[in-house]
Each structure stands twice: as C-alpha cells, then as structure tokens.
C-alpha cells in the first residue's frame, strides 16, 4: 500500500475484493456444490472468505460506497461529515476501524490482502467528478444500445464541450 491512500485506492481495492468474491463463489463454492450434487467426494476447501469486507463496502444504506454516494448528494457535504457517518455506521465492525489521529483523518479497512488506511481528504470532491467529455463521446458510440443510451443525452446536448483535445489531424 502507498503511504497515503485515498478514494482511488479504495476503488481499486473494492474492485479487487469484488474479483475475489467472484472467484470464491464460482471457483470454490460452486465447484463444491457440483461435486456434492454429482455424489463425488470433495474435500472441504479452505479459502479466504471476504464476505464481511464486501458487506462493509457495498451494503446499502450503510456500506462505504453507499455512504460516499449519499454524502455527495446532501447540501454542505464534507469529508468530515462523511468520516463521521462511516465511523458511526461501522463502529465495532470487524473489517473497519478509525485511523489513529496521529496518522491523520481517515479510516482503516481490513481487506483480504491486508489492512489499508485511507486518508479521507478529498473523498467528497473526487466523488463529484463528472465523466470526462471524451469518455462520454466514446461511450455514446458504443455498439451496446444500453451503454449508448446512457450517454445519448450528452451527444444530443453537444457532448459537454470537451472538444477534440489531444486529437491529431
């Protein structure tokens, strides 16, 4: 882990946790079930179960991702308010704890790969970020109608004024 982790690292670690959860379900749990269903002897497999950290991260309405999303929507949103809500919602949780004050304002998550401390600075501001116009334009040309539909309004409205920055003629 970096010496100072922020929202970006939390999102990366969330993706890693999601992949680990998928792997656990589809490789271990479903294989065990298939063996049992077919009457094949299968030893009890040992694997790192990350379900508790997944609940911490994605449960609604109090998971970390839901709290971050909700904080962005309220008037006078702030990192301090977000951290207070996180600490209140997860006080005593096995996968969460407050960061020691000596390290700054933040929180610690016990991921399947280890403990990671996150500084709360700029979580709210970074979560408000809009999709870059170049990405909106690209996704508006997707072959998948569902994806294209999400970004059709941007295309009709002029694409958000992103222009063709970085394009070489």
């Amino acid at each position: 882990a970096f010496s100072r982790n922020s929202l970006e690292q939390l999102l990366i670690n969330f993706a890693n946790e999601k992949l680990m959860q998928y792997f656990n379900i589809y490789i271990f749990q479903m294989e065990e079930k298939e063996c049992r269903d077919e009457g094949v002897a299968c030893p009890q497999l040992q694997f790192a179960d990350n379900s508790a950290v997944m609940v911490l991260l994605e449960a609604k309405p109090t998971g970390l991702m839901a709290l971050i999303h909700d904080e962005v929507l309220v008037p006078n949103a702030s990192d301090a308010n977000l951290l207070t809500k996180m600490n209140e919602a997860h006080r005593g949780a096995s996968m969460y704890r407050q960061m020691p004050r000596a390290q700054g304002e933040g929180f610690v998550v016990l991921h399947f790969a280890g403990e990671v401390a996150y500084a709360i600075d700029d979580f709210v501001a970074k979560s408000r970020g809009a999709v870059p116009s170049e990405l909106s334009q690209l996704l508006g040309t997707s072959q998948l109608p569902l994806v294209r539909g999400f970004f059709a309004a941007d295309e009709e409205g002029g694409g958000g004024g992103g222009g063709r920055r970085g394009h070489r003629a």
Side-chain angles (χ1 to χ4, degrees), residues 2-76:
F2 298 104
S3 60
R4 191 154 175 85
N5 296 298
S6 189
L7 177 64
E8 297 85 355
Q9 189 63 48
L10 178 64
L11 296 175
I12 290 167
N13 290 342
F14 174 60
N16 288 335
E17 292 286 355
K18 200 70 173 158
L19 288 170
M20 182 69 176
Q21 179 186 45
Y22 178 85
F23 187 81
N24 286 345
I25 291 169
Y26 289 97
I27 301 300
F28 294 118
Q29 294 172 355
M30 290 181 79
E31 283 297 318
E32 283 182 344
K33 183 183 180 315
E34 188 174 329
C35 286
R36 281 192 305 274
D37 291 349
E38 293 178 2
V40 175
C42 181
Q44 182 68 29
L45 301 172
Q46 299 296 317
F47 58 91
D49 181 6
N50 70 336
S51 58
V53 75
M54 289 307 298
V55 168
L56 170 71
L57 292 170
E58 65 182 359
K60 292 180 182 177
T62 60
L64 299 183
M65 296 301 161
L67 291 172
I68 293 167
H69 176 265
D70 291 349
E71 185 63 22
V72 169
L73 302 176
V74 299
N76 302 316

